[in-house]
Amino acid sequence: APWDYPDFDDHEGLHLFRDRESGLTAIIAIHSTALGPAAGGTRFWHYPAPEAAITDVLRLSRGMSFKNAMADLPLGGGKAVILADAARTKTPAMIAAFGRAVESLGGRYVTAEDVGISTADMAEVAKQTKYVSGLPVAAGNAGGDPGPLTALGVFLGVKAAVRRVLGRDTLADVRIAIQGVGSVGGGLARLAAAEGARLVLADVDQARAAALAEQLGGRAVAPADILAVEADVVSPCALGAVLDERSIARLDAPIVAGAANNQLATPEDGVRLHARGVLYAPDYVINAGGIINVGLEYLGKGDRAEVEALISRIPDRLERVWDESAATGDSADAVADRMALALIGRG
Ligand code: NAD
């Protein structure tokens, strides 16, 4: 039963929805509303079995609690998944039914985009409920594409790490290896290059990495090599679970700071990084720029300047995590989790 799932134990609620007419099956998990409405995106995904969907939504909703708390947002944590069939059939009727499901929770859960969901889908959801963010916005307002703002937060976090480890105030001549040069990694590359960083880029789309290296100065390497490049900073900006026993043993950089969610394959890998003396920026602390943007949009605190002001506090939060990690000997990710739990009253 769902309440037997270990990840359910610390949740406030787990809601199952079915709409026979449209074929919608959806799950909404609410981890915590201690700081405000539970906010987190909706994932549209084909799972091999419903059990996998439940485990996924529970872990993701807890992650949103931690992320929103550490971003100083007055929002709790939740997440939704829509269970797609193997052909990933998605209809407007299904999305509308999902919007009604969100509405039925009366504002305890606020949704946004995640994997498999587009801005257009969110516009459909918004016809059924006001508990939604991540809608198209006018220029100058909070909201819209979070990628560039996530990149800004990661850039500021990288600078804080470089100041701490190398004692340098700018990224001039700092060697930064970026895994994945999409929306966030590409944005980081541009900001770092503008300060004179020496870039090493990799992407499974090798032409994309080569073109960006050519444009910004720097070199592209094969995706298989990027995490082992000799550098000052390694920045995972592609996939999760890339930091494992093997990749950590091959690291040749004193700092790991990037945007990808869930970079550590297991909590032991956080301990491994710490034991190797690598300064690690916990992913959900450094990559909060996007959620800050979406969160302020939802809260109606509209403008870009306010979003950037909150993002500019990311380095302070990282410093607090690193200070406590240094003082206690605990890994940075464990310290961040502890701080987040205290913030939501579970300390
Ligand atoms: P994106 O899809 O725009 O870019 C990802 C890039 O990584 C693509 O160019 C892709 O080809 C490349 N890639 C995929 N697998 C790779 C591999 N094995 N090696 C090298 N490159 C690979 O995605 P994004 O929006 O830039 O997000 C990047 C990461 O940051 C994701 O993990 C995402 O969850 C996380 N994140 C993004 C945001 C945001 O605001 N976009 C916010 C928080 C976290």
Side-chain angles (χ1 to χ4, degrees), residues 9 23 30 38 117 141 187 256 296 330:
D9 207 40
I30 295 180
I117 292 288
N141 287 341
V256 174
L296 291 190
D330 295 328

Side-chain angles (χ1 to χ4, degrees), residues 179 201-206 220-228:
Q179 179 184 45
L201 308 177
D203 200 293
V204 283
D205 181 347
Q206 298 210 31
V221 300
D225 298 331
I226 189 72
L227 295 180

